[in-house]
Structures are given as C-alpha cells and as structure tokens.
Amino acid sequence: MTQNIETAIRNIIADPKLTYPQRLIELAKAAENVPDPLPLSEDAQWFVEKEVVFDMGEGNAPYRPRYVLPDYEKFMKQGSKFLMLEPPKDIWDAVFALTILYRFVPSVIAGPVYIGHIDRLLEPFVKDEAEARHAIELFLTHVDRTVSDSFCHADIGPYDTKAGRIILELSAKMQRPTPNMSLIYNEHTPDEFALKAIETGLVTAKPSFVNDAMYTADWGSDYAIVSCYNALPIGGGGLTLGRLNLKKLADLAQSKEQFLDDLLPRAVAAQCEQMDQRDTFIMEDAHFLEYTFLAEEGLIQKDRFVGMFGLVGLAECVNQVLHLTDPNERYGHGKEAEAFALDVLDRIHSQVEAFQPKYGKFALHGQVGISTDWGVTPNTRIPVGEEPGLPEQLLFTAKTQKHFAAGIGELFPFEETAKKNPKAVLDIIRGAFGQGMRYFSFYSDTTDVIRITGYLVKRSDIEKYDAGERCVGNSTILGSGASKGLRIFERSVRDV
C-alpha cells in the first residue's frame, strides 16, 4: 500500500499536463483512497470485482456528498454569517457574493456542480443593462477560469428575463464550456426566449432543454439540473452515485432467464448495498452535515439528499442477452429488444424504489459513461452508428426515460443549416417532450464547443491536450479519452 501511494503521488506531481489546481485535486483523491474500501457482503463484493458495480471513483473514504445544491435564493436573501456577507444590494454585490460562496461548496469536482438558477438570482439586480452585462460577463468568466470544470452547471428559465437574455447572448459570444447550462422549459416559456436559447445552443452546445413537467412531478418545483443533466432537490443534492454496468452483467449471463431472475436482482441489491454504506459513511463517519456552515445557515438539509442509482450499457445488454445480430432487430429497432429493455428498466426501478436506505431515498440516473469506457453506451442510449431515423430515435428514447427521476439525457448534433431554422428544432423538442423525453441536448456539427456525453468541452482544447499542452478545464482531460472510447465525433448528424 505504501509503495503504491508513493508511486501514485510521484506520478501526479511529475505529470506535465496537470496545472497546480489539478495536481491538488489528484493528490486529494490519492489520499482519499489510502484507507481500505468500505466493507461489503461477499455477494456485493463479487459484483464489484466483476466491474458490474462501480463507485464512480468517489474515493474509499467519501467525506462529502458527490453533489451539493445550496439554496442560493435563501443565501441571497439572508447573506452569510460565516462568510461575513450581507444580502446583496446591487448587481456587483450579487455576483461577488455568489463567487465567494462557490469557493465553499463541496462536490466530487472540488467545486460547485450547481451555481444556481442564475437568471432568477440576478434578475432583481438588473437595473442598468449595460452595467449588468459587464458584471455578468465577469461573473461567467470567473466561473469558467476558477471552477474550470463543465460538470459545473447553471439553470435559466422558464421565464423570459433580462438576465436570462444577457446570459444567452454572453454564452454565445464567449464560447466557453463552463458553466454547463439548462433551460427549464414549460408552458410559461415564450417562444421568442426558447428560440433565442436554441440559437445559442447551436453555436455553443448550451443550454439544453429540460422537460419541467416530468421533473416537477418527481421532485416538486424545488429541483435543479446539475453536473451533466442530473436532477436533484435544491437544498440537498446527491450523496453518492453508484454505477451498474449492464453490459458487463450480460457478460456473466448464460441465458435470458438467468439474467432476469438471478443476476439482475443480485446486482441491483449489491449496488444498493454499496451506495447505502457510502451514504452512511458520509453522514456518520465524516460528519458532513455537522461540519459545514451550509447546514448551520439552512442552505442544505439532511432530508433533501438522495442516492443516485446510475446505469449504463442497456443497449449492449439487450443485444447480447437476446443474441441480436440483425440490424433491424437490435436495440433501438426491434420490438423484442424494446420489450426486453423496458422490462429490465421496470425491474430495476421496482427494486430500487423498494429499497430503504438509512439516509434519504434512491432514484434512478442515466449515467453518461466514463473516459475509460469502450463498447459501452451511456445510460439507455442507442449506440453510435446504429441510430434509426430521428423520429424513431426520439420515440424509442422517450420510452426508456420514464423512471429516471435523478436525470437522464440524449444529445443530437444538427447540420449547420439548422441555424437558419431554430423553429424546426423547437418543434422537435416539443414533440420529444410530448412523448416523455426528459432532457434534450443539441449542438451544430461545426461548433467548437461540443457535448461529450453530458458535459462540455472545446474540440480545440482536446487537440491541444492530446498534443501535450496543459489546459484550464479538468473536463478536457476526461473528454480526451471519452472522445475516442464513446465515438462522440461519429454521431449521426441530423437535419431539420
């Protein structure tokens, strides 16, 4: 163990591609992994060793939740005794107060994965639009340079606001991947504002559109989209994210019956056990809530945290268990494949819903994949290269997203000419939401800022990193690997 940790530390401090903040993050991860992993039952440990169940590299001794969503609106009203901040009175007070608070918001990225519903937070302070534009541009620049990770996420909408329009215009102008961004879309969103968001998204891959009706049904109105596209309660967050690799589970199956009746329920139970152990460690061993002013000042509450039950590889699982080789019968195309996929999802959801963790509850999440994935499709998506026509893909994908209260998403590159017809893209999004799709991401096939699986990177930054240069954004490092294993540059480009 000592030799391994010494080797890991030496490799980190000698890595020429890491900036100083990135070295700090990697060194902290190395320290977190010095203790032995939390103990599991023999069966659960077997699924971990087979790489079916994975803790997403959160560390052997998790000392903070994966995702923390402070109640920023409450912070803006009351200020912070701990940070010695009064409630903001103007736009400059507002942006500086927020950027100070972000420094103290923990998460798996060592910074905030949620920076608030920023148009709602800043709109009361937009008095002089020129001054507000200057302040918001500096605010967005500060976030991009200091958080430097596009798992950092902001929300806007559903209403048309001055602050929201300024944010969209600046996002298109700045062409930066951080923060990631979502537009909460519902019946109150004016077409003009939605079209402006689409025009921005086609040049800079954000914002994505959120089916507000579905997530409000799951969480009520006090939820937010964070990180890639994760939906979680405001004032709490996600304690941990476990990942069930259905492709690797299918590798263990000798028959369809063995998969459904034996392996699947055992693997789900194993992941629930691991998540429950980790959540309990965060709350009881690490004393997270007891040691943070965020809880003392009412910005987060214990009963607002949940566990995220993630999964990947449904497509490969279905094709493998059913031995499907005919392109017309494979996942995303054939009726047998569809029925089996939905059965698997129903079974997982029922078992996870019935599980009673010590803290909070568990909710399904469509995990985006990781940089080392090869031959494993994120969440319930259709594999790259096997996509049917756009209407068929939308209809199929919507059916698979029903149970994913903790977030799931699909993304679509559009041909350059879509920029001339944003109304057609809006019609596509409305149609998809009407069929039950939860989250719709898009970008133009010619943009520099692109989506990897849920987070954003710049193509040009990946090229620089691959050539040996250091980069500001941590997500560029992940994107470099994922761009190859997940074949992101081979996605079907759609026209309108």
Side-chain angles (χ1 to χ4, degrees):
M1 171 67 76
T2 301
Q3 186 176 7
N4 289 341
I5 189 65
E6 286 185 1
T7 301
I9 289 172
R10 288 183 180 276
N11 289 340
I12 292 167
I13 63 178
D15 190 334
K17 289 186 177 181
L18 295 180
T19 63
Y20 175 70
Q22 289 163 354
R23 280 189 175 86
L24 289 181
I25 292 170
E26 293 304 314
L27 288 169
K29 288 180 182 178
E32 191 179 359
N33 285 319
V34 170
D36 291 331
L38 300 178
L40 297 173
S41 66
E42 184 177 348
D43 202 44
Q45 186 60 39
W46 185 78
F47 283 104
V48 171
E49 292 170 357
K50 294 296 182 182
E51 299 181 335
V52 172
V53 170
F54 179 45
D55 65 7
M56 290 297 296
E58 291 178 357
N60 292 348
Y63 57 93
R64 72 307 185 220
R66 184 178 182 91
Y67 303 124
V68 176
L69 282 65
D71 186 339
Y72 290 113
E73 292 189 41
K74 185 172 186 178
F75 167 74
M76 297 293 265
K77 292 176 183 176
Q78 70 183 25
S80 170
K81 181 178 179 181
F82 180 81
L83 295 178
M84 297 170 284
L85 294 173
E86 295 294 326
K89 298 180 177 62
D90 59 31
I91 189 66
W92 296 105
D93 287 350
V95 297
F96 275 101
L98 287 170
T99 54
I100 290 170
L101 179 56
Y102 297 157
R103 179 66 179 80
F104 294 87
V105 178
S107 80
V108 73
I109 67 168
V113 295
Y114 172 60
I115 61 171
H117 213 111
I118 52 176
D119 60 341
R120 188 184 300 166
L121 295 172
L122 298 178
E123 180 68 10
F125 306 101
V126 178
K127 307 302 182 185
D128 180 291
E129 289 195 37
E131 182 181 28
R133 181 181 301 274
H134 186 199
I136 293 172
E137 183 167 7
L138 290 176
F139 166 77
L140 293 174
T141 301
H142 178 91
V143 169
D144 179 70
R145 304 304 192 273
T146 60
V147 180
S148 300
D149 195 311
S150 64
F151 289 101
C152 171
H153 205 116
D155 293 340
I156 62 172
Y159 301 101
D160 186 350
T161 61
K162 294 176 183 177
R165 285 177 171 267
I166 290 171
I167 290 163
L168 289 175
E169 290 165 7
L170 290 172
S171 296
K173 170 191 170 185
M174 296 167 69
Q175 294 283 300
R176 294 300 303 167
T178 304
N180 202 338
M181 193 177 298
S182 293
L183 170 70
I184 309 300
Y185 184 82
N186 61 27
E187 70 276 11
H188 300 296
T189 310
D191 283 359
E192 186 180 356
F193 189 61
L195 291 172
K196 190 172 186 64
I198 289 171
E199 291 167 358
T200 300
L202 287 172
V203 299
T204 193
K206 61 182 178 183
S208 298
F209 276 56
V210 181
N211 189 338
D212 183 51
M214 292 189 74
Y215 284 118
T216 298
D218 295 323
W219 302 112
S221 59
D222 291 334
Y223 76 93
I225 303 298
V226 312
S227 189
C228 288
Y229 44 59
N230 312 340
L232 293 167
I234 293 173
L239 277 174
T240 192
L241 169 58
R243 183 174 106 140
L244 180 67
N245 190 323
L246 290 168
K247 194 274 180 191
K248 287 187 178 290
L249 186 63
D251 289 342
L252 304 173
Q254 301 298 314
S255 67
K256 175 181 175 181
E257 291 72 25
Q258 184 199 21
F259 177 86
L260 289 175
D261 300 330
D262 177 35
L263 290 172
L264 184 62
R266 286 171 54 206
V268 171
Q271 182 156 305
C272 286
E273 178 186 333
Q274 185 187 64
M275 291 171 60
D276 197 27
Q277 287 274 63
R278 296 178 66 78
D279 289 356
T280 300
F281 187 95
I282 291 167
M283 289 297 198
E284 297 182 4
D285 295 73
H287 302 282
F288 169 72
L289 283 175
E290 300 168 41
Y291 296 165
T292 174
F293 75 95
L294 297 174
E296 293 170 358
E297 297 186 3
L299 302 182
I300 57 173
Q301 302 173 45
K302 181 172 65 175
D303 61 1
R304 299 289 290 170
F305 281 93
V306 300
M308 303 173 68
F309 189 102
L311 60 84
V312 295
L314 180 63
E316 289 76 18
C317 169
V318 170
N319 291 335
Q320 188 163 324
V321 172
L322 298 183
H323 307 290
L324 300 176
T325 57
D326 184 338
N328 294 319
E329 298 297 329
R330 287 168 66 81
Y331 183 87
H333 298 267
K335 291 298 181 183
E336 182 187 10
E338 179 182 307
F340 183 67
L342 297 180
D343 183 28
V344 169
L345 293 175
D346 285 345
R347 289 170 184 251
I348 294 173
H349 175 255
S350 296
Q351 189 174 345
V352 171
E353 187 84 355
F355 185 81
Q356 296 184 342
K358 189 168 185 179
Y359 292 94
K361 66 176 184 178
F362 290 168
L364 259 58
H365 170 68
Q367 206 269 321
V368 298
I370 55 179
S371 60
T372 56
D373 280 343
W374 288 82
V376 181
T377 302
N379 58 66
T380 67
R381 293 177 188 169
I382 299 169
V384 171
E386 298 187 29
E387 302 98 326
L390 182 58
E392 292 77 16
Q393 184 177 3
L394 295 173
L395 288 169
F396 175 83
T397 302
K399 293 177 184 178
T400 70
Q401 295 190 352
K402 175 182 176 182
H403 298 308
F404 289 84
I408 190 170
E410 181 57 288
L411 62 167
F412 301 92
F414 282 102
E415 201 233 343
E416 176 74 6
T417 54
K419 294 177 181 177
K420 299 178 181 178
N421 195 1
K423 179 65 167 59
V425 178
L426 181 57
D427 288 342
I428 291 169
I429 294 171
R430 283 174 171 159
F433 283 0
Q435 295 299 316
M437 183 172 282
R438 288 180 176 269
Y439 194 80
F440 194 105
S441 297
F442 57 93
Y443 55 92
S444 165
D445 64 327
T446 59
T447 57
D448 189 20
V449 180
I450 60 170
R451 287 193 175 270
I452 296 295
T453 53
Y455 59 97
L456 304 177
V457 300
K458 289 174 75 78
R459 298 176 198 253
S460 54
D461 285 346
I462 289 179
E463 292 169 1
K464 292 176 183 177
Y465 179 77
D466 289 346
E469 295 185 29
R470 288 181 293 276
C471 57
V472 173
N474 298 334
S475 46
T476 301
I477 300 171
L478 299 176
S480 174
S483 66
K484 303 169 183 64
L486 297 174
R487 301 168 60 196
I488 65 166
F489 297 129
E490 301 175 39
R491 293 175 182 142
S492 294
V493 177
R494 308 295 186 165
D495 60 43
V496 295

